[in-house]
Amino acid sequence: MLVIALVDRTGSGLWASVSVLYFTYVSGLSVAQVGTLAALAGAVGIAGAPIGGRIADRLPLTRVLIALQLLRALSSLALLTTDNYALLLTFSAAGSLGDRAASVLTKLYATRVSGPDRVRYQAVNRTVANVGWALGGLGAAAALALGTDAAYRWLLLGDALSFALAALLTLRCGEPPSPSRPVTGPAAAPTAKPANPWRDRTYLAYVATETVLFLDDAVFKVGLPLWIAHASSAPHGLAPLLMVLNNVMVVVLQVPLARFGSTTTAAHALLIPLSAAFALGGAAMALSATGGTVGATLLLTASAVAFTVAEMLHATVSWELSVALAPGTAQGAYLGVHGLAQSAQRSIGPLAATAAIAAGPAGWAGFGTLIAATCLLQHRMVRARLTRTPLSVPPVTVSEH
């Protein structure tokens, strides 16, 4: 599955950085049309997480993953066939739906395969995915140097082929045991109705706090570039360098940091230093507006480091708690609901970051403080639930090639 993650994210890296340019220069859409297409496709994609999780509790996980990869491949290929706005929107929405569902099911697969080692497995998976994104981004940059319609089309074709290859590789993966689909037959024990995450108030409240904690994503995609361009004296070229710093830190440090959250108790305790990292990131961003070029550059770099540490710590905490808080018989459904947090953040994150920029230094101080306080709220909220929930899942062994 790690090889699949590398192939998948390399293809996504080819397309993610040029999709807006493709729709603008190849499909001939206006800025408003491109923005609307991205927003509506993203909104449809939000449903992918809970739908995919629910289906994976009822059907073989690898087969569902293969179907989703093929859906993504066909959606990408279909974009090459038309410039009609309605069709482009339909195909983009289908691809977004498949992307969010596949993301949740990949996490579910890791949970079932790795058992108590799921945090380390996910850390390695995330490191591999970041390498894939970097490789795809480099490929896209090289192709864009040509500046032709054919170059854009080849990038989109590469994206589609990566999903098709991922589907073929998934065929070689063994199907992990599923507590939500017990053995059937005359000797099988009767099973209780699986838990419904939509009726689980504690889990829904946890997912709501997760939406806030995922806002670090908007810092690097929207907040830092705009803040550097409009409100600080740092050179504009610092923005892409901080993105590179973020990527390198994740690749180098995600796996080592994962050992600090290798159990549910340890992951729960990490919410305290996570709170501090978010607060420091917001404070450094706010202070960057008060100094000269050198001071602003140093403070923005410090902020990027703090938010990257927060990103890695939250990834570790989130992987463990989202599973530990879910009953084994409904892991797919629960992780699907948890996937809504990241999907929702993609919509509200840019708004939160631009609001912080509009409010000036106080806005960034408040931004960091809000997320830090949410970490502490989550720490308190889930404590009682964890005392009633098994703190690990039994290890399983499954063949994987």
Side-chain angles (χ1 to χ4, degrees):
M1 193 58 72
L2 295 176
V3 175
I4 294 171
L6 179 64
V7 171
D8 184 319
R9 290 306 161 190
T10 299
S12 296
L14 288 174
W15 173 242
S17 58
V18 302
S19 59
V20 171
L21 299 177
Y22 177 89
F23 290 128
T24 301
Y25 297 118
V26 179
S27 300
L29 303 185
S30 67
V31 173
Q33 286 178 315
V34 173
T36 302
L37 183 148
L40 292 178
V44 172
I46 291 176
I51 292 175
R54 178 70 71 174
I55 293 174
D57 277 338
R58 290 164 169 76
L59 299 175
L61 178 55
T62 53
R63 298 301 177 260
V64 180
L65 263 174
I66 290 169
L68 290 171
Q69 295 288 17
L70 292 176
L71 171 63
R72 298 167 76 193
L74 291 173
S75 298
S76 295
L77 287 174
L79 292 174
L80 290 167
T81 66
T82 183
D83 292 332
N84 179 273
Y85 186 69
L87 290 176
L88 289 173
L89 175 58
T90 300
F91 298 147
S92 296
S96 179
L97 188 78
D99 179 71
R100 299 313 305 157
S103 178
V104 168
L105 266 60
T106 299
K107 178 179 178 180
L108 180 60
Y109 184 95
T111 298
R112 292 178 178 174
V113 168
S114 54
D117 293 326
R118 57 180 174 251
V119 170
R120 178 173 174 79
Y121 187 103
Q122 286 281 19
V124 174
N125 184 79
R126 188 165 191 260
T127 300
V128 170
N130 271 268
V131 172
W133 272 107
L135 292 175
L138 290 173
L144 287 180
L146 300 175
T148 63
D149 286 1
Y152 288 111
R153 294 182 186 279
W154 277 109
L155 289 173
L156 181 52
L157 180 61
D159 183 42
L161 291 177
S162 73
F163 298 143
L165 178 57
L168 289 175
L169 291 172
T170 305
L171 281 171
R172 297 169 57 87
C173 293
E175 178 67 24
S178 169
S180 60
R181 292 189 301 109
V183 177
T184 57
T191 58
K193 184 178 180 180
N196 185 344
W198 297 105
R199 296 179 180 176
D200 189 332
R201 294 182 180 179
T202 300
Y203 199 83
L204 291 177
Y206 164 70
V207 172
T209 60
E210 283 285 88
T211 303
V212 178
L213 269 56
F214 275 120
L215 288 176
D216 63 86
D217 184 64
V219 172
F220 287 96
K221 290 183 177 178
V222 179
L224 271 169
L226 290 181
W227 185 251
I228 290 172
H230 298 290
S232 83
S233 55
H236 292 181
L238 181 64
L241 293 179
L242 294 181
M243 290 289 289
V244 172
L245 175 64
N246 170 263
N247 191 267
V248 170
M249 285 183 64
V250 171
V251 170
V252 174
L253 298 175
Q254 184 69 76
V255 174
L257 281 177
R259 72 176 186 270
F260 295 108
S262 58
T263 67
T264 304
T265 301
H268 179 242
L270 276 183
L271 284 167
I272 303 302
L274 175 60
S275 175
F278 276 124
L280 288 172
M285 189 81 88
L287 292 172
S288 68
T290 63
T293 300
V294 175
T297 299
L298 292 175
L299 284 166
L300 286 169
T301 302
S303 178
V305 169
F307 276 119
T308 301
V309 170
E311 175 188 339
M312 293 185 290
L313 289 178
H314 178 233
T316 298
V317 173
S318 182
W319 293 330
E320 178 61 26
L321 294 188
S322 61
V323 176
L325 294 171
T329 55
Q331 280 182 346
Y334 271 70
L335 291 181
V337 171
H338 180 263
L340 290 175
Q342 199 161 14
S343 298
Q345 184 280 140
R346 292 185 177 187
S347 296
I348 68 173
L351 296 177
T354 52
I357 292 171
W364 280 115
F367 182 91
T369 300
L370 171 65
I371 307 179
T374 305
C375 290
L376 300 178
L377 174 63
Q378 185 180 110
H379 182 273
R380 181 175 182 178
M381 177 193 306
V382 304
R383 183 188 301 152
R385 173 70 165 262
L386 293 177
T387 61
R388 306 192 304 269
T389 306
L391 298 185
S392 65
V393 296
V396 298
T397 302
V398 60
S399 61
E400 182 180 0
H401 304 282

